[in-house]
Amino acid sequence: MLGLPDPPPARPEFGHDALVVCDNLVRIYQSAHVEVQALQGLDLLVHAGEMVALVGASGSGKSTLLNVLAGVDAPTAGRARVAGHDLVSLSRAEQVHYRRHVVGFVRQQTARNLVPYLTARQTVDLPMTIAGRPRAERRSRVDELLEVLGVGHCAERRPDEMSGGEQQRVSIAVALANGPDLLLADEPTGELDSETGAEVFAALRTVNAELGATVVVVTHDAGVSGQVARTVAIRDGRTSSEVVRGQADEDGTRTAEEFAVMDRAGRVQLPREYREALDLTRRVRVALAGDHVEIRSDREAGG
Ligand SMILES: Nc1ncnc2c1ncn2[C@@H]1O[C@H](COP(=O)(O)OP(=O)(O)OP(=O)(O)O)[C@@H](O)[C@H]1O
């Protein structure tokens, strides 16, 4: 009989050292006649300083997850924590503080990120004024952010005097104004052509690398998601797989390895092509084989 390895020592709490912890997160939308399970027990950890791209088919739950992390929507069940803030039990007052100081949010529609009659400088200044920060500090922060994002030349322009890409880069500056722990971006390049979208995505990578901002960005664009160190795929309201990329070589190529995500109950989603290749259906044989686990069809010899 095959001996089992020794059990590991007692483990610390799930995600104890992570900035973002989603643990078995559930969000059910309920209306008079229908119930939609937008998040169905989603687990996700993001560490401080990381940049993570979220990808997935339309309706897989990406925006729902971002809205929960942004503190604008509350989960139905499970645990969500960002920088020590428990998002399941935020009071009204805590919610205001959380949205003002802990997270920054960039939306797809540039018009929802900016104010039509304010210049870039005034818009980036606004969240800091509301937070009561001194004038001199605000001024140097505005200059620094617009400079890092390559839109210093837009400081005195209103949105209709900027290109779509410039507007989104100013939107990133607005979201970062109060130095949030986490920057969230929901398809920030969705309304832009691919070249301008790549520039905006590069700006997100810059704020991650140069300002140390932790970034979670939803994108449909496989080209841009391939530029980040970690891409998490969401399927049917759960994280299903992750691609982790190494540092770029001198010629710009990066190694990439794809992992299936295992939840805390040990459930793993097998890729559809594997299931189809071996005609794996409802039941499979699972065996511990030294340093790996085998999964076989239940129709093999001996079955
Ligand atoms: N307010 C709502 N009321 C009812 N159902 C909703 C609501 N918001 C989202 N849903 C449903 O929840 C599921 C997940 O939606 P969500 O917007 O999170 O997906 P998504 O992955 O962001 O999609 P897309 O890429 O199209 O933006 C979908 O089935 C959607 O129809």
Side-chain angles (χ1 to χ4, degrees), residues 60-241:
S60 55
K62 305 179 299 293
S63 297
T64 303
L65 172 61
L66 240 57
N67 285 335
V68 168
L69 295 178
V72 297
D73 189 15
T76 311
R79 208 159 62 93
R81 201 186 68 212
V82 174
H85 298 265
D86 178 359
L87 302 183
V88 181
S89 60
L90 282 187
S91 67
R92 266 291 153 98
E94 286 166 339
Q95 219 174 42
V96 171
H97 174 269
Y98 178 81
R99 290 193 221 154
R100 202 170 281 166
H101 297 278
V102 185
V103 285
F105 201 3
V106 179
R107 296 172 194 281
Q108 175 174 353
Q109 304 88 347
T110 46
R112 293 182 63 193
N113 294 317
L114 302 175
V115 186
Y117 51 85
L118 294 185
T119 64
R121 171 178 298 288
Q122 290 167 331
T123 316
V124 180
D125 183 83
L126 193 60
M128 291 186 279
T129 301
I130 294 170
R133 293 173 64 177
R135 180 186 287 262
E137 185 187 318
R138 292 190 334 245
R139 192 166 181 92
S140 65
R141 178 80 177 155
V142 171
D143 289 338
E144 178 198 25
L145 286 172
L146 293 180
E147 206 52 50
V148 168
L149 287 154
V151 279
H153 60 285
C154 296
E156 310 307 331
R157 295 190 198 172
R158 290 193 306 271
D160 63 358
E161 298 164 320
M162 294 184 249
S163 70
E166 286 167 343
Q167 289 180 26
Q168 277 308 59
R169 282 184 280 157
V170 172
S171 304
I172 297 170
V174 175
L176 289 172
N178 281 327
D181 295 280
L182 177 66
L183 177 65
L184 301 168
D186 195 355
E187 300 214 31
T189 62
E191 285 187 347
L192 306 172
D193 62 68
S194 57
E195 199 177 317
T196 315
E199 276 170 32
V200 170
F201 211 81
L204 286 172
R205 283 169 39 220
T206 302
V207 295
N208 171 249
E210 291 186 16
L211 303 180
T214 307
V215 182
V216 173
V217 52
V218 166
T219 179
H220 263 128
D221 188 337
V224 290
S225 64
Q227 298 166 13
V228 300
R230 192 172 151 219
T231 302
V232 174
I234 305 219
R235 190 159 161 188
D236 299 332
R238 287 203 187 132
T239 40
S240 64
S241 64

